[in-house]
Amino acid sequence: MRLIITSILIILCSTSLVGAQNLSLKKTNRLFKNQAYKEAIENYKNLKQTEEVLKKLGDCYYYTGDMAKAAFTYSSIEDNNGQITDYNRIYRYAQSLLALKDYDKADSYLLYYQGKDWDTKEFLKELEKSTPHNFTVAPIRNEGSNSDFGMSFLNDTEVVFASSRNMERPVYAWNGLPYLDLYKATLERDGALKSIVPFSGINTDLHESNAVFTENGTVMYFNRNNEKRVKINDIPVSNMKIYKAELVDGIWTNVQALSFNNDMYSVQHPAISKDGSTLYFSSDMPGGYGEFDLYKVSVNSDGTYGEPVNLGKEINTQHLDQFPYISDINTLYYSTNGKQGVGGLDIHRSDMVNGEFTTPINLGTTINSSRDDFAFIINENLNKAYFSSNRTGIDKLYRTTREENVLTKYAVKGIVKDSISNKLLPGSLVSLLDEREILIDDMIVGDDATYFFKLEPNRKYTIRGTRKLYIPQDVQFSTDRNGRISHDIYLTLLSYQDAEATIKPDRKGDVQVELDQIFFDFDEAIIKPEAAHTLDELVDIMKKYPAMYIEVSAHTDVRGPSAYNLELSKKRAASTLEYLVSKGVERRRLRSIGYGEMQPLNNCIQEGICTDKEYEVNRRCEFKIVQ
């Protein structure tokens, strides 16, 4: 039903039917202003076809979902040497042309509207290769159907949906259909709806729609328009609100409006996360990016709610972003007409990675039509989904199965090797990161040193190879129209030893930065100017290799008490570390340790058996690379 899809304003007007004999423009414009579009259409059709009449008649057809007549009426304006200059009407004209698949003409108006080239034919061609799944769609057999949409799972066998099938209900002036009620039905294995009955305890004289249920089936959220009318731009309107109900002893009761509803704007299309802790919804509340945006709000354990949070510009557009659904694997599905698409509302998906939603992907032409496609729900394990569409001119329920698109085997694979010896490097860590440098997945390569990751279309990635004592390698690539579907990326890692002459293995096989000896004054831990000059060489190396981590160790000879020597070495190691930090090396990349006299380099392990020069060999600082 177009009123729920657009949800621009839900009007409860009691305008009496204007007789055919009373066709004044003034009265008809009043119908238009009050959004009684069905009645207005009949009057505008019989008035003199001026530019004003044609523009408003085209709008009426658009808002009631008759895109063919909308496009024809808009084009009549130009045929009569008129012009469509209103910014939003240009968009409506373009959308009606997309619905008729008149892509070239639609693109010319979208170019003007968006201010950039808009090639729908090319987009649809790319979409065939970029969408991750293909869908097989069939209408749901549903006796008594009369504008049905927004199906949701109540339990394993039952579903709930909204419908205008009750012909005894008042007629809604927007589209001439009865007011909406919620219905419950049994979903048969063949996809048919049986035993359809009104949903008990919820329906009123107002609109009810878009019911969703928590995992345990004891709490439901749904839409109901506000009984109270408020004036917005001098028009009395009744916005949508989200309500909550609880199942108590088999009866749905305790029906309450949520605390963040508001009379001045709509809050609608609830969706609940599997754990029940987050509620998603659509709203035209102030501060959004467009007509309707997607939001989320925390559901607290005490039954209260947090503050609504906008899902951001990656998800939301300047137009309609609606009908969210969050699957069991935290994938967000929703519909929008604000991104380049097939026409009307298109169903998109966005995966959650590290708590953030990724760039949305259009589900493609095997499910999206040139009209409105929305209210998508899915069983991810069974690959069975259900959605609503007005592709036949009226809202209907559809079922679909999906399978992987063989044209979109998006993946990246490769081998990790040493860049000098060309030997395989098993045990290396390979990480896949998104365009924000957020980790998506990683793996330790096996004996064959190979890695493999599945990818999503229309994304930018970084593949990163890391290994102890090697310089990490980053390779950026994309799966958008400028990239490729499948990527073979060999990671060739360069060891620190091969990169720098001053980096060498020590006697124990550890790799260290070999610097000139650092000397301290007797019984002191203060960095002397000569030592500072030497340490500056280490600073330069660590800034050159930001992934390098160093252990700073200090050693003494055996002369003097061992406890005293140990404490002195700790102070000298700490002092050295602080000097490196003062020169801009991140503290997290350093650790200091004092070994005292425990690790001599020669046999001077007792006092009085060696020369001063021999003892001096053991008084040193070392800089071992630990990563």
Side-chain angles (χ1 to χ4, degrees):
M1 179 173 283
R2 192 65 188 177
L3 75 124
I4 300 297
I5 298 171
T6 58
S7 295
I8 295 172
L9 289 174
I10 304 298
I11 307 300
L12 290 176
C13 57
S14 57
T15 307
S16 61
L17 185 63
V18 178
Q21 75 280 4
N22 188 356
L23 300 176
S24 74
L25 179 59
K26 183 177 180 180
K27 289 186 177 181
T28 307
N29 282 346
R30 187 179 300 121
L31 288 172
F32 180 85
K33 182 178 180 180
N34 286 333
Q35 298 176 329
Y37 297 122
K38 276 292 185 181
E39 297 178 36
I41 285 172
E42 296 307 313
N43 283 11
Y44 281 132
K45 282 163 52 177
N46 291 288
L47 289 169
K48 183 180 180 180
Q49 302 297 282
T50 64
E51 186 171 321
E52 177 190 0
V53 168
L54 289 173
K55 286 179 178 179
K56 291 180 178 177
L57 179 57
D59 291 344
C60 289
Y61 284 132
Y62 176 84
Y63 289 133
T64 55
D66 195 334
M67 295 302 190
K69 289 182 179 178
F72 177 80
T73 305
Y74 288 137
S75 64
S76 296
I77 298 169
E78 297 176 325
D79 293 341
N80 294 324
N81 297 317
Q83 285 188 318
I84 299 176
T85 57
D86 177 81
Y87 189 65
N88 291 323
R89 188 170 284 115
I90 287 171
Y91 179 76
R92 292 193 288 271
Y93 188 17
Q95 287 295 314
S96 65
L97 291 168
L98 284 177
L100 300 182
K101 301 184 180 181
D102 189 349
Y103 300 132
D104 292 336
K105 193 170 183 179
D107 288 346
S108 67
Y109 282 95
L110 287 170
L111 169 61
Y112 177 83
Y113 182 83
Q114 301 283 1
K116 60 182 179 181
D117 287 333
W118 208 263
D119 191 335
T120 300
K121 290 180 180 177
E122 181 63 26
F123 172 79
L124 296 180
K125 191 182 298 182
E126 290 292 328
L127 201 56
E128 291 179 5
K129 298 183 294 182
S130 65
T131 187
H133 297 97
N134 284 328
F135 295 84
T136 302
V137 174
I140 289 177
R141 286 190 285 112
N142 174 11
E143 291 184 8
S145 177
N146 184 36
S147 187
D148 303 333
F149 71 95
M151 195 171 83
S152 63
F153 302 117
L154 175 58
N155 50 49
D156 290 340
T157 60
E158 293 181 306
V159 295
V160 176
F161 62 96
S163 177
S164 292
R165 66 183 59 210
N166 186 354
M167 303 309 293
E168 296 181 3
R169 296 278 271 130
V171 172
Y172 182 57
W174 181 302
N175 57 14
L177 293 171
Y179 272 47
L180 291 164
D181 283 329
L182 289 173
Y183 288 81
K184 182 174 71 171
T186 300
L187 180 63
E188 301 290 321
R189 287 192 175 184
D190 63 0
L193 295 182
K194 299 291 186 181
S195 306
I196 302 171
V197 295
F199 193 87
S200 178
I202 298 299
N203 294 324
T204 67
D205 290 338
L206 303 170
H207 288 291
E208 279 84 24
S209 63
N210 297 96
V212 294
F213 301 85
T214 55
E215 181 76 6
N216 59 14
T218 61
V219 175
M220 70 179 290
Y221 297 93
F222 66 96
N223 277 154
R224 177 183 289 164
N225 64 293
N226 191 19
E227 189 171 7
K228 176 185 176 182
R229 306 178 200 179
V230 295
K231 278 197 172 184
I232 299 177
N233 298 324
D234 292 326
I235 303 173
V237 302
S238 176
N239 281 308
M240 298 299 291
K241 291 185 175 181
I242 296 178
Y243 284 75
K244 174 185 175 183
E246 297 174 325
L247 186 63
V248 179
D249 296 328
I251 298 173
W252 287 101
T253 185
N254 300 331
V255 179
Q256 295 181 341
L258 301 191
S259 58
F260 51 87
N261 288 315
N262 193 295
D263 290 343
M264 300 305 294
Y265 52 79
S266 285
V267 177
Q268 60 185 20
H269 305 160
I272 190 72
S273 61
K274 184 177 181 179
D275 62 6
S277 65
T278 306
L279 185 71
Y280 297 83
F281 62 93
S282 177
S283 177
D284 60 347
M285 66 175 63
Y289 293 91
E291 296 175 59
F292 270 81
D293 281 6
L294 297 190
Y295 292 81
K296 66 178 180 179
V297 65
S298 297
V299 181
N300 301 321
S301 58
D302 61 359
T304 60
Y305 300 88
E307 290 295 320
V309 176
N310 190 294
L311 294 193
K313 62 182 179 180
E314 194 74 60
I315 298 295
N316 292 310
T317 68
Q318 61 182 319
H319 292 293
L320 299 175
D321 303 290
Q322 299 184 308
F323 297 97
Y325 174 77
I326 192 78
S327 76
D328 288 352
I329 59 173
N330 281 333
T331 294
L332 172 69
Y333 297 89
Y334 73 107
S335 292
T336 179
N337 64 359
K339 297 181 181 293
Q340 188 168 16
V342 183
L345 290 169
D346 278 1
I347 304 168
H348 288 66
R349 64 172 280 181
S350 173
D351 298 319
M352 184 181 287
V353 177
N354 296 320
E356 299 290 334
F357 287 114
T358 57
T359 302
I361 301 168
N362 190 305
L363 292 195
T365 57
T366 58
I367 186 170
N368 286 316
S369 68
S370 61
R371 305 294 294 276
D372 292 315
D373 304 285
F374 56 99
F376 180 94
I377 61 174
I378 189 169
N379 184 318
E380 299 274 15
N381 292 327
L382 299 178
N383 286 314
K384 290 184 177 180
Y386 306 86
F387 69 102
S388 307
S389 177
N390 68 351
R391 60 187 62 190
T392 63
I394 192 169
D395 294 337
K396 290 186 178 181
L397 300 172
Y398 292 82
R399 60 190 175 94
T400 181
T401 56
R402 71 178 186 185
E403 57 185 14
E404 282 195 27
N405 184 355
V406 296
L407 297 178
T408 59
K409 293 292 185 180
Y410 286 91
V412 59
K413 59 186 176 68
I415 299 175
V416 188
K417 292 184 175 183
D418 184 288
S419 64
I420 300 299
S421 68
N422 211 33
K423 291 183 179 178
L424 300 180
L425 293 177
S428 300
L429 174 67
V430 181
S431 304
L432 181 69
L433 303 98
D434 68 11
E435 59 187 357
R436 296 167 294 181
E437 292 289 299
I438 295 175
L439 178 67
I440 297 173
D441 199 2
D442 59 19
M443 64 174 292
I444 303 293
V445 300
D447 292 340
D448 60 1
T450 62
Y451 69 89
F452 176 87
F453 296 107
K454 286 187 175 181
L455 307 173
E456 296 286 352
N458 299 319
R459 299 271 178 85
K460 293 181 180 178
Y461 293 98
T462 297
I463 198 77
R464 175 174 295 165
T466 56
R467 183 179 177 86
K468 185 178 179 181
L469 306 182
Y470 278 76
I471 303 167
Q473 183 187 13
D474 284 4
V475 179
Q476 295 181 336
F477 63 98
S478 71
T479 56
D480 58 20
R481 65 179 59 187
N482 298 317
R484 298 194 310 276
I485 291 176
S486 181
H487 295 258
D488 287 285
I489 299 177
Y490 277 51
L491 294 171
T492 54
L493 305 185
L494 179 64
S495 71
Y496 288 126
Q497 288 180 230
D498 291 325
E500 299 289 337
T502 57
I503 298 177
K504 300 176 181 179
D506 62 13
R507 68 193 187 287
K508 296 180 293 182
D510 293 326
V511 175
Q512 65 179 10
V513 182
E514 192 174 87
L515 300 175
D516 292 339
Q517 185 66 284
I518 294 176
F519 294 101
F520 294 88
D521 287 337
F522 178 73
D523 201 28
E524 293 288 343
I526 299 172
I527 301 296
K528 300 173 65 176
E530 299 87 346
H533 178 73
T534 299
L535 290 176
D536 287 343
E537 296 179 35
L538 179 59
V539 170
D540 291 340
I541 290 176
M542 294 196 73
K543 288 185 176 180
K544 184 177 180 180
Y545 304 110
M548 179 184 287
Y549 284 65
I550 292 288
E551 177 190 277
V552 178
S553 60
H555 306 261
T556 67
D557 61 36
V558 296
R559 293 178 294 184
S562 59
Y564 171 84
N565 286 336
L566 180 62
E567 187 62 28
L568 180 62
S569 68
K570 289 180 179 179
K571 290 179 180 179
R572 287 175 172 175
S575 178
T576 302
L577 183 149
E578 292 301 328
Y579 177 83
L580 297 172
V581 170
S582 73
K583 291 296 184 177
V585 178
E586 299 97 323
R587 187 180 297 275
R588 64 183 177 83
R589 298 171 55 202
L590 300 164
R591 71 182 185 211
S592 67
I593 186 169
Y595 288 100
E597 59 191 54
M598 292 184 288
Q599 294 185 359
L601 295 178
N602 54 27
N603 291 322
C604 298
I605 56 176
Q606 295 180 6
E607 290 193 56
I609 62 172
C610 294
T611 65
D612 287 346
K613 192 167 185 179
E614 289 172 323
Y615 282 121
E616 184 180 290
V617 170
N618 294 324
R619 297 198 305 272
R620 68 197 188 276
C621 277
E622 293 179 337
F623 308 97
K624 184 173 70 174
I625 300 175
V626 294
Q627 181 175 318

